[in-house]
């Protein structure tokens, strides 16, 4: 569609869809630069639909807590209009986006490779008659830098090592709004001001958020809020706690669910409350005296030896940079990232060869969701997910592998895993939801022997060997007690 000239619009509109932060955000920085360049005020819209896929009270409450933090913080910033809008009626949020675009000079938003943002961005690109720019503020290596979908973490790591320094040396601005000049008011129509006022009202206290969320009939109300808070403040506190207390034992203890030494940052990374630039910077501060990032040199995709310094830091950086961003780059290049057919040929073939194998146990979605299987270890992992909205990574791998084993066929297993993960996990609906779930079926992995029933050449995991390898005593005590059910 032909673009209306930018000069005709009244304001620059930044639509914050997933990277929900005002700091270290390339998209917001770009919007501020555009506002200053064109001499127009900046409007930030941050909203939430009430009927998004896998909508639950849990996820909605987490997002609204973060929006309430922005609502409390933003009125003091000059020359800026913030419109928080958690919708009550389906469709009213997207109508507001389009109404705001009517008088905007340009729409700027978040580039995101999965979930409704990917579809919305593509659709709006075709519909709007103003320029629409999406900016990638998801990680350290921009998605546009990879030429095709990395089929393994090694392939991505090799590319990352070549490009890391150049990307690291151009970090996002810590406080982009500080650079916003005063370009007056956007002169918004009354009906938009009324929606803005309604949005502020819905977020004005924790009690109001709870009553608003409880009244939304399109949410799964049985999946209730968790103890994690969706604010940037809570995310930064988690980061400090992890780096200060657990980082240096990460490589030894990360696979031990009893020890809880992983960062537990994925919910805040998922909603963009904190940037991976901030996380990585904090980790660099812990490197030994004399270590300097400018000394890093590619080591041909090898896992150790690139960052150097503490081995625990290097191991954590491999997760938060290589593994996390492999998922973003893969999905960005793969429109069918959530389809069974996106699995590598060898994986589809071996799963299909074993699709009719006998299963000793077959469970329904409801039985799985309620932790009603014969296996106490699996039940504990599902209980952690159902009650706390997260699963320890090691348990998450085992959890996924067993669903493949206990469902009638791999396609059903995939559908169940996507639903369980995306309904219950706060970090669900992320590119790494699909990386993790499809890894269960062979993505980013290789063929393993011996060939086994149901799994074929797909990597196998069992609760018995997990129990031998790691103690799980505290984990089982914590998530098997009746009090938690
Ligand atoms: C079946 C299955 C489903 C998964 N679903 C999700 C999901 O919905 N959302 C999600 O963010 N991750 C998912 N993962 C990946 C991984 O389990 C989580 O990222 C990790 O457990 C989060 O805990 P943490 O923040 O303590 O991680 P840490 O170990 O502290 O790692 C730091 C960060 O690195 C990233 N990371 C760590 N491990 C992985 C990994 N294996 N793959 C990709 N990125 C990683 C995450 O952003 C994480 O927050 C899934 C894995 C599996 C096997």
């Amino acid at each position: 569609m032909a673009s209306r000239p930018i000069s005709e619009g009244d304001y620059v509109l930044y639509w914050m869809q997933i990277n929900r932060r005002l700091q270290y955000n390339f998209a917001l920085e770009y919007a501020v630069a555009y506002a200053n360049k064109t001499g127009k005020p900046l409007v930030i819209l941050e909203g939430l639909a009430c009927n998004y896929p896998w909508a639950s009270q849990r996820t909605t409450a987490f997002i609204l807590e973060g929006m309430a933090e922005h609502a409390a913080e933003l009125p003091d910033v000059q020359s800026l209009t913030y419109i928080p809008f958690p919708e009550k009626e389906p469709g009213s949020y997207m109508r507001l986006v389009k109404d705001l675009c009517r008088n905007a000079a340009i729409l700027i938003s978040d580039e995101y490779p999965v979930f409704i943002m990917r579809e919305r961005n593509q659709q709006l690109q075709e519909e709007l008659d103003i320029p629409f720019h999406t900016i990638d503020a998801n990680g350290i290596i921009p998605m546009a830098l990879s030429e095709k979908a990395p089929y393994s973490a090694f392939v991505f790591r090799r590319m990352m090592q070549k490009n890391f320094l150049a990307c690291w040396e151009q970090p996002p601005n810590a406080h982009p709004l500080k650079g916003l000049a005063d370009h007056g008011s956007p002169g918004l129509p009354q009906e938009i001001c009324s929606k803005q006022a309604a949005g502020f009202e819905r977020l004005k206290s924790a009690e109001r958020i709870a009553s608003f969320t409880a009244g939304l009939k399109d949410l799964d109300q049985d999946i209730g809020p968790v103890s994690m808070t969706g604010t940037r403040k809570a995310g930064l506190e988690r980061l400090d706690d992890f780096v200060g207390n657990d980082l240096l034992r990460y490589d030894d203890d990360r696979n031990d669910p009893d020890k809880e030494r992983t960062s537990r940052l994925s919910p805040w990374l998922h909603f963009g409350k904190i940037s991976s630039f901030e996380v990585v910077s904090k980790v660099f501060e812990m490197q030994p005296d004399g270590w300097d990032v400018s000394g890093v040199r590619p080591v041909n995709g090898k896992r150790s030896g690139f960052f150097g310094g503490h081995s625990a830091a290097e191991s954590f950086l491999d997760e938060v940079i290589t593994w996390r961003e492999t998922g973003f780059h893969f999905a960005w290049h793969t429109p069918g990232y959530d389809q069974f057919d996106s699995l590598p040929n060898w994986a589809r073939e071996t799963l299909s060869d074993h699709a009719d194998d006998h299963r000793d146990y077959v469970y329904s979605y409801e039985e799985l969701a309620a932790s009603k299987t014969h296996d106490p270890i699996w039940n504990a992992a599902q209980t952690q997910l159902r009650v706390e909205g997260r699963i320890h990574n090691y348990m998450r791998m085992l959890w996924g592998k067993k669903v493949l084993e206990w469902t009638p066929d791999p396609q059903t297993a995939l559908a169940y895993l996507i639903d369980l993960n995306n309904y219950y996990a706060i970090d669900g609906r992320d590119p790494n939801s699909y990386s993790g779930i499809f890894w269960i079926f062979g993505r980013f992995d290789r063929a393993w022997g011996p060939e086994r029933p149901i799994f074929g050449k797909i990597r196998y995991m069992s609760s018995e060997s997990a129990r031998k390898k790691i103690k799980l005593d505290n984990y089982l005590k914590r998530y098997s007690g009746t009090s938690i059910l």
Side-chain angles (χ1 to χ4, degrees), residues 283-298:
V283 172
F284 284 173
E285 284 170 22
M286 296 297 285
Q287 290 286 48
D289 287 348
W291 180 90
D292 192 316
V293 64
S294 63
V296 303
R297 294 287 174 272

Side-chain angles (χ1 to χ4, degrees), residues 50-52 55-56 87-90 215-221:
C50 60
N51 58 352
Y52 56 91
S56 68
E87 76 177 6
K88 207 164 155 188
E89 305 297 335
L216 295 173
K217 57 182 184 313
D218 290 308
L219 303 187
D220 189 322
Q221 296 287 349

Side-chain angles (χ1 to χ4, degrees), residues 124-190:
L124 278 180
Q125 222 34 288
E126 285 159 25
E127 284 177 21
L128 291 178
D129 67 349
I130 56 171
F132 177 26
H133 297 181
T134 50
I135 307 296
D136 177 0
N138 298 302
I140 291 173
I141 310 293
M143 294 183 290
L145 262 187
S146 53
E147 283 166 13
K148 52 186 183 177
Y151 59 83
S152 68
F154 169 77
V155 168
F156 177 80
R157 194 184 293 112
R158 200 172 43 191
M159 187 280 274
M160 180 281 286
Q161 291 179 349
K162 286 189 193 142
N163 291 287
F164 179 81
L165 257 194
C167 298
W168 183 253
E169 283 166 357
Q170 297 175 63
N173 185 331
H175 298 287
L177 285 174
K178 283 192 180 157
L180 180 66
D182 190 352
H183 306 296
S185 136
L188 295 173
Q190 189 47 50

Side-chain angles (χ1 to χ4, degrees), residues 252-475:
D252 291 335
D253 292 345
R254 66 178 290 257
N255 281 331
D256 187 343
D258 279 351
K259 297 205 172 129
E260 280 282 27
R261 287 225 190 274
T262 68
S263 72
R264 288 172 270 158
L265 283 171
S266 57
W268 293 277
L269 283 167
H270 169 63
F271 287 110
K273 301 308 298 180
I274 50 176
S275 152
S276 49
F277 273 91
E278 294 175 274
V279 176
V280 172
S281 270
K282 226 32 223 167
V283 172
F284 284 173
E285 284 170 22
M286 296 297 285
Q287 290 286 48
D289 287 348
W291 180 90
D292 192 316
V293 64
S294 63
V296 303
R297 294 287 174 272
V299 289
N300 196 26
K302 278 196 269 173
R303 210 182 344 214
S304 67
F306 175 64
F307 287 111
H310 289 298
S311 62
E314 192 157 49
S315 156
F316 177 74
L317 292 170
D318 196 53
E319 297 301 328
V320 79
I321 303 174
T322 297
W323 275 100
R324 179 170 182 271
E325 298 192 18
T326 298
F328 277 80
H329 285 245
F330 182 90
W332 200 65
H333 287 283
T334 314
Y337 64 86
D338 57 350
Q339 301 296 310
F340 190 80
D341 286 351
S342 68
L343 284 170
N345 289 342
W346 71 266
R348 273 185 290 134
E349 273 164 26
T350 196
L351 286 169
S352 142
D353 288 348
H354 291 271
D356 296 329
D357 289 359
H358 170 75
R359 273 96 172 131
D360 285 341
Y361 301 94
V362 173
Y363 294 108
S364 66
Y365 179 83
E366 290 69 27
E367 287 168 322
L368 293 170
S371 310
K372 293 212 158 93
T373 77
H374 64 285
D375 179 345
I377 295 182
W378 193 91
N379 292 347
Q382 170 61 22
T383 299
Q384 182 184 22
L385 177 63
R386 195 177 61 250
V387 176
E388 295 186 352
R390 67 191 185 96
I391 317 189
H392 185 280
N393 183 53
Y394 185 84
M395 301 307 289
R396 210 169 193 172
M397 296 192 283
L398 180 65
W399 171 84
K401 292 287 183 186
K402 295 292 111 180
V403 175
L404 169 57
E405 195 175 329
W406 298 337
T407 41
D409 52 69
Q411 285 81 357
T412 306
L414 179 64
Y416 284 4
L417 279 173
I418 291 176
D419 278 350
L420 289 170
N421 191 78
N422 287 354
Y423 265 121
Y424 289 102
I426 287 277
D427 65 8
R429 307 152 306 278
D430 187 270
N432 285 310
S433 312
Y434 298 95
S435 293
I437 292 168
F438 279 76
W439 175 85
I440 299 295
F441 302 83
R443 182 185 289 172
F444 304 141
D445 209 356
R446 62 172 172 86
W448 290 77
E451 195 158 342
R452 291 172 184 273
I454 305 172
F455 286 79
K457 296 176 190 154
I458 303 286
R459 184 198 296 251
Y460 177 74
M461 285 176 80
S462 79
S463 301
E464 294 70 35
S465 56
R467 191 72 164 121
K468 277 190 208 135
K469 218 163 118 188
I470 41 178
K471 282 212 191 91
L472 287 175
D473 290 345
N474 294 339
Y475 191 83

